[in-house]
Amino acid sequence: RLLPPLLLLLLGPALGPALGQGLGQTRFICTSVPLDGDVCAASALGTGSADELKGTVLQLRETVLQQKETIMNQKETIRELTAKLGRCESQSVLELPGEGKGRKGFSKNTMGDLSRPAAAETLSQLGQTLQSLKTRLENLEQFSRMNSSSQTNNLKDILQNKIDDLEKQVLSRVNSLEEGKLSPRNESEERGKIESTLTSLHQRISDLEKGQKDNRPPDRFQLTFPLRTNYMYAKVKKSLPEMYAFSICMWIKSSASPGMGTPFSYAVPGQANELVLIEWGNNPMEILINDKVAKLPFAINDGKWHHICVTWTTRDGVWEAYQDGTQTGNGENLAPYHPIKPQGVLVLGQEQDTLGGGFDATQAFVGELAHFNVWDRKLSPGEVYGLATCSSKALAGNVIAWAEANIDIYGGATKWTFEACRQLN
């Protein structure tokens, strides 16, 4: 009997000389044999098995080529599906905070707009903008009654008709979205048309409101930021001085979600987060001083006017937060013994990633803001209450006082008449 093929392979080098002496010039052919097969019969077919092996190899090679082609096709399918999924996500998903960039050091800085908000949020913002325009027209109507002018009335009627047309466009867009008729490209085009019309309306209303400016005190105005963009903002013309304490108070109104954004930010060379108030995503509102953070217990994202104040002293970093004249929270160790640095840029409505710029649309303030005042001392609870209740003895900020001459606006943000005490009635 022949030795098993595997054993021959293992012992071949050692047995070769010995076997060669007895068999002369030989060669060994390995043939696979079933466990219950006849080894001798299989060895007799040694010559024919070479052809069979060759055929088997060719079949295996053909199988490998077919599998390779299948794998390539599957990879192409995967790439196509991944691309489609990415396009769908970019149109339907708004990146939420918490995991992303809430402040420098958390993630990347972004100079431009991120993906467009989801359709529901976009429509909500447009609805808020239309409501804001209607309110402004009501103010203009009251003004025109006191100053009967046929030209003013005619303009008001024209603008009212334009707002009615815009509302029809928004309702039509809602129906199209619900029925799935709008493709991402068409949706983007529709949004662009509506935003363009809104910008034009804002400008015309602002021009009409200029006639009121001569008849109102310089502090009776508000800023409106109707959409979440990276180009609407206001800038305070003067910088803050070095401060070892401060009080910052304002009237604010917003119902933006998630988060109303950044009411104000103050950046200095080398530190973009020298002093920032921000409500980003689903996080509570925060005050940042030199990149140190305190969470503020405010509940103001309800579309109503609220008066808020934050006070702070560098000694032990003690801070207090007031809403509508009542203290709602306090703490310490917020950037203790760090004075607020001078020679910076104070922006309303945007968070700065660089000195005076680097705005991120997802952190933009959406809403209305008025009576932004800054003091270089800690206000008493009584003084804060007087501001919130429109006391006749209420003070203006000794560092930054709310006045139209102190504020420049950019990118479509608007100024219009605002009387804080009237909002309380």
Side-chain angles (χ1 to χ4, degrees), residues 5 14 23 26 62 91 113 179 185-186 207 269 293 371 395 397:
L23 299 175
T26 61
E62 183 66 24
Q91 293 296 330
D113 280 332
E179 296 172 8
R185 180 177 178 181
N186 290 336
D207 291 342
V293 185
H371 289 271
L395 304 172

Side-chain angles (χ1 to χ4, degrees), residues 35 55 61 78 85 94 122 126 137 144 198 201 203-204 207 226 236-237 266 325 330 378 386 401 421:
L35 290 176
R61 181 180 297 173
I78 290 170
L85 179 61
L94 172 64
T122 299
L126 290 172
L137 281 173
S144 65
L198 286 174
L201 269 175
Q203 187 59 50
R204 296 187 68 177
D207 291 342
V236 179
K237 292 182 179 180
Y266 176 67
N330 60 76
K378 178 181 175 181
C421 297

Side-chain angles (χ1 to χ4, degrees), residues 94 116-131 166-179 182 187 190-191 194-195 198 226-228 255-257 366:
L94 172 64
R116 286 292 191 186
E121 183 183 355
T122 299
L123 294 171
S124 174
Q125 291 178 3
L126 290 172
Q128 293 167 22
T129 302
L130 290 172
Q131 185 57 48
L166 266 178
E167 283 186 311
K168 292 177 183 177
Q169 289 183 46
V170 172
L171 287 174
S172 173
R173 192 158 178 254
V174 170
N175 293 333
S176 297
L177 285 170
E178 287 177 347
E179 296 172 8
L182 277 182
E187 181 186 349
E190 284 294 314
R191 179 190 169 98
I194 293 176
E195 285 188 0
L198 286 174
L227 298 172
R228 202 181 292 276
S255 58
S257 177
V366 180

Side-chain angles (χ1 to χ4, degrees), residues 268-289:
V268 298
Q271 177 53 278
N273 284 338
E274 183 67 8
L275 180 55
V276 181
L277 183 68
I278 184 170
E279 183 184 75
W280 197 74
N282 296 314
N283 302 308
M285 184 167 280
E286 299 173 340
I287 185 81
L288 283 71
I289 299 177

